[in-house]
């Protein structure tokens, strides 16, 4: 079992909230090289504490899993916790009442060997990501307001909690985000987030593997036929693994019905995307037309002003 801990209502100590069965890593429909890389890296970290200490390197490891929603980030963390025999300590930065001091105390009270999990870390701060320099010059006051934390935890407080003098060593930190660009560079640097892994929408290989998990074959030939037909329907990297799983759950005992339903569903998704793209193109053309019209009016006004100035100069010369 994997025990799950979270902060109590007063954010001053950890309490166990649930236990979950260990999930086999083989049940995670993700490219094997990604799963193996993260698992091997985490095992290497846990087995080499002395190596870190001998070299004066803080004994901590951080992983940043980023990408589209429903791509398996949280599921992989749950499975890795079971593989590594570690409990999970969930830290919600958006929790009401949590401030820098509370966060620092919670991080300091983590066990030496555990997984600390911060999900959707991008929503903890408003405007704390990368800003264009021109935008700052245009509206400094607006940027200042947006940089304020959306709760009691500040970016500097989070950074200090992760690797400040009171930060616990020996723990593994996993963070997830759907918007990598929204994160501050200081948060993503090595030493805080050592390994960055992108999660994408489902590939055809993932679609095939997922179908095989739902419908155990009566024969190898039959399994290949059904799974390949299902994968062929799915546009590569267009829909999430979670969306495909939800679709298959509606037909979990009827593989042929699942395939037929998927054909209809994918057609609808493609039509919806085409409509959205059409509307977006129309909107851009309207904006472009408005800018052109405004520029023409400005040029016309400038020409009129020039004409008036010329007339005034002529009258003065006379």
């Amino acid at each position: 079992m994997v025990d799950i801990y979270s902060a109590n209502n007063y954010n001053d100590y950890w309490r166990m909230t649930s236990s979950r069965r260990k999930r086999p890593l083989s049940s995670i429909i993700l490219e094997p090289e990604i799963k193996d890389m993260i698992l091997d890296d985490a095992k290497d970290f846990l087995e080499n504490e002395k190596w870190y200490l001998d070299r004066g390197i803080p004994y901590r490891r951080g992983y940043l899993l980023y990408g589209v929603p429903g791509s398996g980030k949280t599921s992989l963390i749950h499975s890795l916790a079971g593989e590594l025999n570690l409990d999970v300590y969930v830290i919600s930065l958006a929790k009401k009442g949590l401030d820098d001091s509370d966060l620092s105390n919670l991080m300091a009270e983590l066990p030496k060997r555990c997984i600390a999990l911060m999900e959707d870390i991008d929503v903890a701060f408003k405007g704390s990501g990368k800003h264009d320099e021109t935008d700052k010059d245009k509206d400094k006051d607006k940027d200042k307001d947006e940089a304020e934390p959306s709760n009691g935890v500040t970016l500097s407080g989070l950074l200090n909690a992760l690797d400040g003098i009171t930060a616990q060593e020996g723990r593994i930190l996993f963070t997830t985000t759907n918007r990598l660009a929204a994160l501050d560079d200081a948060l993503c640097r090595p030493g805080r987030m050592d390994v960055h892994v992108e999660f994408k929408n489902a590939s055809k290989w993932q679609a095939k593997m997922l179908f095989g998990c739902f419908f155990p074959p009566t024969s190898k030939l039959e399994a290949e036929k059904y799974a390949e037909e299902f994968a062929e329907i799915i546009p590569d990297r267009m829909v999430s693994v979670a969306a495909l799983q939800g679709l298959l759950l509606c037909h979990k005992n009827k593989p042929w019905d699942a395939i037929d339903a998927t054909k209809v569903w994918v057609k609808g998704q493609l039509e919806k995307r085409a409509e959205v793209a059409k509307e977006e193109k129309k909107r851009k053309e309207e904006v472009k037309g408005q800018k052109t019209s405004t520029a023409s009016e400005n040029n016309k006004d400038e020409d009129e002003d020039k004409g008036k100035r010329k007339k005034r100069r002529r009258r003065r010369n006379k």
Side-chain angles (χ1 to χ4, degrees):
M1 300 292 286
V2 175
D3 291 336
I4 312 296
Y5 292 79
S6 63
N8 72 333
N9 292 334
Y10 301 99
N11 301 317
D12 57 2
Y13 68 85
W14 293 103
R15 62 186 178 90
M16 191 177 79
T17 54
S18 63
S19 291
R20 298 179 63 180
R21 292 182 181 275
K22 292 182 179 181
R23 179 172 178 176
L25 199 59
S26 59
S27 70
I28 305 297
I29 309 300
L30 187 66
E31 283 75 5
E33 58 269 21
I34 296 178
K35 294 189 291 186
D36 293 343
M37 181 274 291
I38 299 177
L39 179 61
D40 291 345
D41 186 88
K43 284 182 176 179
D44 180 76
F45 167 76
L46 293 171
E47 294 168 358
N48 283 282
E49 179 178 4
K50 187 176 184 301
W51 187 93
Y52 280 79
L53 298 179
D54 289 346
R55 289 158 179 79
I57 300 173
Y59 185 50
R60 294 184 288 266
R61 196 72 171 160
Y63 300 85
L64 174 60
L65 311 185
Y66 66 94
V68 296
S71 53
K73 296 184 286 291
T74 302
S75 297
L76 177 62
I77 295 168
H78 172 206
S79 181
L80 288 170
E83 292 284 341
L84 299 169
N85 291 313
L86 298 177
D87 293 329
V88 178
Y89 288 72
V90 181
I91 303 161
S92 176
L93 297 178
K95 185 179 180 183
K96 186 177 180 180
L98 185 71
D99 59 21
D100 289 348
S101 178
D102 295 331
L103 178 61
S104 179
N105 291 336
L106 287 172
M107 293 296 288
E109 292 298 321
L110 287 170
K112 190 171 183 180
R113 292 171 68 90
C114 72
I115 287 178
L117 172 60
M118 296 181 183
E119 293 190 280
D120 299 321
I121 197 170
D122 54 290
V123 303
F125 307 97
K126 295 187 294 185
S128 62
K130 305 174 182 68
H131 295 283
D132 183 75
E133 194 66 32
T134 304
D135 291 337
K136 286 184 179 180
D137 294 338
K138 285 182 178 179
D139 198 348
K140 292 182 180 179
D141 291 336
K142 181 179 179 181
D143 281 349
K144 183 177 179 181
D145 291 339
E146 289 181 347
E148 292 298 320
S150 58
N151 56 75
V153 177
T154 65
L155 177 60
S156 61
L158 173 59
L159 299 182
N160 287 329
L162 293 181
D163 59 6
I165 194 168
T166 62
Q168 178 62 282
E169 296 204 345
R171 57 85 178 142
I172 292 176
L173 172 68
F174 276 95
T175 59
T176 69
T177 179
N178 298 331
R179 301 184 303 132
L180 179 63
L183 301 184
D184 194 280
D185 290 336
L187 179 61
C188 300
R189 71 159 175 79
R192 290 176 179 140
M193 307 296 169
D194 304 286
V195 181
H196 296 195
V197 183
E198 182 179 9
F199 283 64
K200 301 178 181 179
N201 280 326
S203 65
K204 288 186 177 294
W205 177 86
Q206 285 177 293
K208 180 179 177 180
M209 294 298 104
L210 185 64
F211 191 90
C213 286
F214 268 79
F215 304 106
T218 55
S219 70
K220 185 175 181 180
L221 182 63
E222 183 184 65
E224 286 291 320
K225 177 184 176 182
Y226 286 176
E228 287 180 2
E229 183 171 350
F230 177 77
E232 192 60 32
I233 299 169
I234 307 301
D236 197 53
R237 303 297 187 188
M238 194 192 86
V239 296
S240 69
V241 174
L244 294 182
Q245 179 173 293
L247 185 64
L248 292 176
L249 277 171
C250 296
H251 308 277
K252 55 182 176 292
N253 297 317
K254 300 177 181 178
W256 274 115
D257 286 354
I259 290 174
D260 291 340
T262 301
K263 290 177 181 178
V264 176
W265 181 79
V266 168
K267 182 181 178 181
Q269 291 295 308
L270 291 173
E271 290 175 350
K272 186 183 297 183
R273 283 174 175 252
E275 186 64 28
V276 170
K278 183 179 178 181
E279 290 295 324
E280 181 64 16
K281 182 180 179 181
K282 181 180 178 181
R283 186 190 66 80
K284 288 182 178 180
E285 289 176 349
E286 289 176 350
V287 171
K288 184 178 179 181
Q290 290 173 357
K291 288 182 178 179
T292 302
S293 177
T294 301
S296 298
E297 290 177 1
N298 290 338
N299 290 335
K300 182 179 179 181
D301 291 341
E302 289 178 4
D303 291 341
E304 290 178 353
D305 290 341
K306 288 179 181 179
K308 291 178 180 179
R309 287 196 295 270
K310 286 181 180 179
K311 289 180 180 179
R312 285 196 294 269
R313 283 197 296 269
R314 286 172 186 163
R315 285 197 295 269
R316 285 198 298 269
N317 292 335
K318 289 180 180 179

